[in-house]
């Protein structure tokens, strides 16, 4: 089952994602990101601690969210991805484009990538 | 000894989880198969099945997508066969490097790259009216 839960932390929107992030669920995450980003001036953290599988469409949702967040003057950051997700971020080198933090506190305080 | 499992799924994304589950459960029958390699297998099969389903949906083909999984001592081999009209791997464009600003314009197109990154062997074969993707993940 795929779920997205909403909360806030230090002025950032937090979307806690649970389940597989794949071609079937990625549109739901995209919609949740698009709906929430304008309300927080583009500042968003995706808590991925509950995601143990991500495919290319899931990665596309992250890239799309990052693009939209930065267009609003903010950033989209990742918190606590599980090892299978981390591996894919490293393989595709998206870990160089996104802030990937161990937790939400770190995610909202880290400097963006150069 | 080689053991084999075959699964036929309707060409719909809702069956991807089933395909992933069957293949990874089969691989995990070998207690020596590392978890990381099972994860790689799951991703490769999922991406190949997604491409197969997408190809058939574009042509409105309702034949099953067939997944054949063979287990050997040191590897898992999987074939994914579709009726999606064929696929030319050379026609797949490569993406800009991650530090190229143009990369952020691409929210799609990573599937083949991911399959090649996580599977040890990959062959894309165009067959009559479709494609067979053959991939191997070593233990």
């Amino acid at each position: 089952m795929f779920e997205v839960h909403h909360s806030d932390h230090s002025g950032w929107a937090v979307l806690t994602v649970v389940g597989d992030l794949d071609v079937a669920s990625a549109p739901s995450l995209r919609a949740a990101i698009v709906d929430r980003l304008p309300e927080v001036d583009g500042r968003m953290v995706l808590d991925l601690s509950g995601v143990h599988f991500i495919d290319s469409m899931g990665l596309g949702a992250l890239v799309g969210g990052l693009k939209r967040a930065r267009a609003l003057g903010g950033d989209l950051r990742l918190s606590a991805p599980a090892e299978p997700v981390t591996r894919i971020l490293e393989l595709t080198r998206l870990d160089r484009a996104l802030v990937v933090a161990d937790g939400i506190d770190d995610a909202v305080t880290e400097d963006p990538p150069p | 000894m080689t053991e084999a499992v075959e699964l036929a799924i309707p060409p719909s994304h809702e069956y991807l989880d089933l395909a992933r589950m069957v293949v990874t459960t089969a691989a995990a029958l070998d207690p020596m198969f590392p978890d990381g390699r099972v994860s790689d297998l799951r991703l490769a099969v999922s991406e190949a099945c997604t491409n197969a389903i997408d190809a058939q949906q574009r042509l409105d083909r309702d034949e099953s997508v067939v997944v054949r999984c063979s287990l050997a001592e040191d590897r898992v081999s999987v074939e994914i066969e579709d009726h999606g009209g064929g696929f030319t791997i050379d026609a797949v464009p490569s993406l800009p490097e991650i530090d190229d600003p143009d990369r952020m314009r691409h929210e799609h197109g990573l599937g083949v790259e991911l399959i090649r990154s996580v599977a040890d062997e990959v062959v894309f074969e165009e067959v009559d009216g479709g494609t067979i993707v053959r991939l191997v993940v070593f233990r």
Side-chain angles (χ1 to χ4, degrees):
Chain A
M1 179 183 298
F2 182 79
E3 297 176 337
V4 178
H5 302 283
H6 296 255
S7 60
D8 298 283
H9 186 100
S10 303
W12 290 67
V14 177
L15 299 189
T16 298
V17 187
V18 180
D20 292 349
L21 185 47
D22 65 0
V23 61
S25 58
S28 298
L29 179 60
R30 279 184 183 272
I33 290 171
V34 167
D35 285 347
R36 186 80 175 104
L37 272 177
E39 298 171 353
V40 286
D41 297 327
R43 290 188 303 271
M44 180 174 284
V45 175
L46 299 183
D47 176 357
L48 299 183
S49 55
V51 176
H52 295 272
F53 177 82
I54 186 168
D55 72 357
S56 58
M57 294 302 287
L59 291 176
L62 301 186
V63 170
L66 176 67
K67 202 163 56 179
R68 287 161 180 78
R70 290 187 176 166
L72 290 169
D75 199 15
L76 181 96
R77 298 173 176 191
L78 308 183
S79 168
E83 200 280 332
V85 175
T86 300
R87 169 161 164 72
I88 300 310
L89 292 172
E90 292 171 351
L91 273 175
T92 56
R93 288 172 284 178
L94 282 173
D95 59 333
R96 289 158 49 181
L98 287 153
V99 168
V100 183
D102 292 335
I104 296 172
D105 286 341
D106 291 336
V108 302
T109 56
E110 288 223 10
D111 293 326
Chain B
M1 181 175 80
T2 299
E3 301 179 270
V5 173
E6 184 169 307
L7 173 71
I9 59 171
S12 171
H13 294 132
E14 64 186 322
Y15 290 93
L16 281 172
D17 197 28
L18 177 62
R20 293 195 291 258
M21 195 179 347
V22 167
V23 173
T24 55
T25 300
L29 289 174
D30 178 358
M32 303 302 293
F33 211 86
D35 289 346
R37 300 267 56 203
V38 174
S39 294
D40 289 344
L41 179 69
R42 178 164 40 156
L43 178 61
V45 169
S46 188
E47 293 289 352
C49 287
T50 297
N51 290 343
I53 291 168
D54 288 348
Q56 289 201 199
Q57 287 186 347
R58 279 193 291 270
L59 298 179
D60 204 22
R61 297 295 297 262
D62 62 0
E63 294 94 330
S64 296
V65 170
V66 179
V67 181
R68 300 181 192 90
C69 178
S70 299
L71 312 174
E73 187 175 323
D74 65 339
R75 72 190 67 185
V76 176
S77 304
V78 184
E79 288 186 358
I80 298 95
E81 182 172 2
D82 69 57
H83 297 83
F87 167 67
T88 305
I89 186 62
D90 293 337
V92 176
S94 54
L95 294 174
E97 290 296 319
I98 193 61
D99 52 0
D100 184 336
D102 271 353
R103 175 63 181 268
M104 287 297 119
R105 294 173 50 233
H106 297 267
E107 297 177 30
H108 303 279
L110 272 173
V112 171
E113 178 183 332
L114 280 176
I115 294 172
R116 286 177 156 162
S117 294
V118 298
D120 297 300
E121 295 175 4
V122 185
V123 174
F124 298 89
E125 181 181 345
E126 194 169 345
V127 295
D128 185 27
T131 302
I132 296 178
V133 178
R134 295 190 172 87
L135 54 94
V136 176
V137 171
F138 291 106
R139 180 192 287 174

